[in-house]
Amino acid sequence: MTPPAEPTSRFLRAARRLPVDRTPVWLMRQAGRYMEEYQAIRAQHSMLEVIRTPELAAEVTLQPLRAFELDAAIIFADILPPLIGMGLDLDFIKGEGPQINNPLRTTYDIDMLATPPAAQTLGSTLEAIRLVTAELGPRDIPLIGFAGAPFTLASYAIEGGGSRNYERTKAMMYGEPAAWKRLMDKLVTVQADYLLEQAKAGASALQLFDSWAGALSKRDYIRYVQPYNTALFKMVARAGVPLINFSTKTSSYIEEVAACGGDVIGVDWQLPLEEVWGRIGYERAIQGNLDPVALLAPWRELRVRIDEVLSGAEGRPGHIFNLGHGILPTTPIENVRRLVDYVHEWGAV
Ligand code: CP3
């Protein structure tokens, strides 16, 4: 699992802070509803069917790579399916998002959670990774594997779905600290194994999504999240591939987020790129950070915002262009194409 001393693709070079000819670009949720090709497949198959059928997951992963000159693919899956193997009953409800029909309500529920190996419960995603890398490997396009971070997953498992205030999650965290620790330890075990298996299957970088960590105060982040994310990054470092540490709404304590680990820090759009990079330190690569809603603006306005992100890198190696969060279903295709091409043309002599 030793990586080549010097990767050749722009994305992997930037992740290692090596010089690149052009800034690499990929977009979180790049496979999705804003694409007609994706909608056509989803009209025939449920979300879980697509994820669990390696050929379909591989096809959907490749759709944005055919449409745009992206520098990386991300495997089509979701952060929540690992919870199914642990014993939770997950559905994706049309128009509403994910729903867990038997959420964790008691410490007993937490003790009953299983920690099966990914090879047993997430084999279809691992197989999809093999299919995609067989196709993209020869073209030197890296595939990103991913997993949800323990806090973000715990919040779905406890709330039963998305949440505004994380009331039950925080009540569990504050009221049952020993059970919280057991839950987070189980999630670290399951997610570390899943990420390591994805690298074994061919993923050449791994991203941890702690999308909702920003719901916490800095002190609570340090107490209830940081130890687990730190342990997870340490366990996964063994894969020998670049690790991306992504979260949103965490800019008020981004130093503590970065301290957990990761070669690349994925940042949301709230701070100018130059400001947040200065805070996390230039010995880390940075990924981001255009507001996804900027893609709904007219080109002349969108271009100003892309310029601001690119200028923020100040010519340093180690910037991977991305959005600050997932692309929205209402995004015009034409703006995605223009964005990707513009990032590649930027700075060309
Ligand atoms: O980035 C990619 O293209 C890879 C695939 C991917 C999906 N979800 C596909 C998806 C990834 C990396 C995710 C991560 C994910 N899933 C996160 C973390 C990233 C983030 O955006 O914060 C979270 C919180 C989830 C949980 C989740 N899955 C929600 C809240 C929803 C419903 C909201 C929505 O956007 O519809 C999903 C469903 C989901 N996951 C869709 C896709 C393409 C939409 C499914 C559909 O209706 O076709």
Side-chain angles (χ1 to χ4, degrees), residues 208 210 221-222 225-235 243 245 253-263 265 284:
L208 192 71
D210 211 353
Y221 181 85
I222 292 170
V225 172
Q226 208 185 37
Y228 306 101
N229 285 4
T230 305
L232 187 48
F233 280 114
K234 210 167 158 192
M235 287 161 86
L243 307 178
N245 176 356
Y253 46 85
I254 196 72
E255 294 87 347
E256 282 69 26
V257 170
C260 296
D263 305 277
I265 307 301
R284 315 289 277 278

Side-chain angles (χ1 to χ4, degrees), residues 82-322:
L83 295 177
I84 300 174
M86 298 180 79
L88 293 168
D89 177 15
L90 168 73
D91 263 336
F92 288 94
I93 313 287
K94 205 173 160 56
E96 284 180 43
Q99 182 178 302
I100 287 162
N101 301 311
N102 57 344
L104 304 175
R105 287 290 139 88
T106 64
T107 60
Y108 176 77
D109 296 339
I110 290 174
D111 291 331
M112 292 312 289
L113 284 176
T115 56
Q120 213 172 67
T121 54
L122 295 155
S124 44
T125 295
L126 301 176
E127 180 56 22
I129 290 176
R130 285 181 208 106
L131 295 178
V132 173
T133 47
E135 176 134 356
L136 294 183
R139 291 160 54 194
D140 202 21
I141 300 176
L143 175 67
I144 303 165
F146 70 90
F151 174 81
T152 294
L153 284 185
S155 80
Y156 280 102
I158 295 169
E159 305 290 341
S163 177
R164 184 178 285 269
N165 295 318
Y166 302 90
E167 289 156 55
R168 291 176 192 272
T169 307
K170 290 187 182 181
M172 175 81 75
M173 203 167 80
Y174 300 143
E176 302 284 353
W180 177 260
K181 181 177 186 321
R182 292 201 296 281
L183 171 59
M184 295 294 270
D185 283 338
K186 283 187 178 188
L187 289 166
V188 168
T189 303
V190 168
Q191 299 303 76
D193 174 62
Y194 183 33
L195 287 166
L196 287 167
E197 287 293 325
Q198 291 183 62
K200 254 199 253 172
S204 44
L206 298 167
Q207 177 157 326
L208 192 71
F209 283 90
D210 211 353
S211 305
W212 310 142
L216 295 170
S217 70
K218 175 174 169 175
R219 284 206 176 96
D220 283 344
Y221 181 85
I222 292 170
R223 265 183 223 135
Y224 298 107
V225 172
Q226 208 185 37
Y228 306 101
N229 285 4
T230 305
L232 187 48
F233 280 114
K234 210 167 158 192
M235 287 161 86
V236 180
R238 197 148 55 79
V241 302
L243 307 178
I244 308 170
N245 176 356
F246 170 75
S247 58
T248 73
K249 301 216 168 97
T250 48
S251 54
S252 57
Y253 46 85
I254 196 72
E255 294 87 347
E256 282 69 26
V257 170
C260 296
D263 305 277
V264 182
I265 307 301
V267 297
D268 73 14
W269 66 91
Q270 292 194 309
L271 289 180
L273 189 92
E274 60 276 24
E275 190 177 329
V276 65
W277 206 353
R279 281 175 53 196
I280 62 182
Y282 300 116
E283 66 286 356
R284 315 289 277 278
I286 191 163
Q287 178 174 281
N289 72 342
L290 183 75
D291 181 349
V293 182
L295 277 161
L296 309 186
W299 173 248
R300 62 175 191 280
E301 283 301 319
L302 172 55
R303 195 179 67 186
V304 171
R305 283 156 181 80
I306 301 171
D307 280 336
E308 285 169 349
V309 172
L310 287 163
S311 316
E314 294 164 351
R316 288 190 183 82
H319 177 217
I320 297 163
F321 192 101
N322 205 315

Side-chain angles (χ1 to χ4, degrees), residues 26-33 38 42 47 74-80 92 95-98 146 152 156 209 211-212 246 248 325-326 329:
W26 70 279
L27 305 173
M28 285 186 280
R29 296 272 183 107
Q30 63 191 19
R33 284 166 297 188
Y38 173 84
R42 283 283 284 105
M47 178 73 181
I74 180 163
I75 192 64
F76 188 81
D78 195 81
I79 60 166
L80 299 173
F92 288 94
E96 284 180 43
F146 70 90
T152 294
Y156 280 102
F209 283 90
S211 305
W212 310 142
F246 170 75
T248 73
H325 205 167

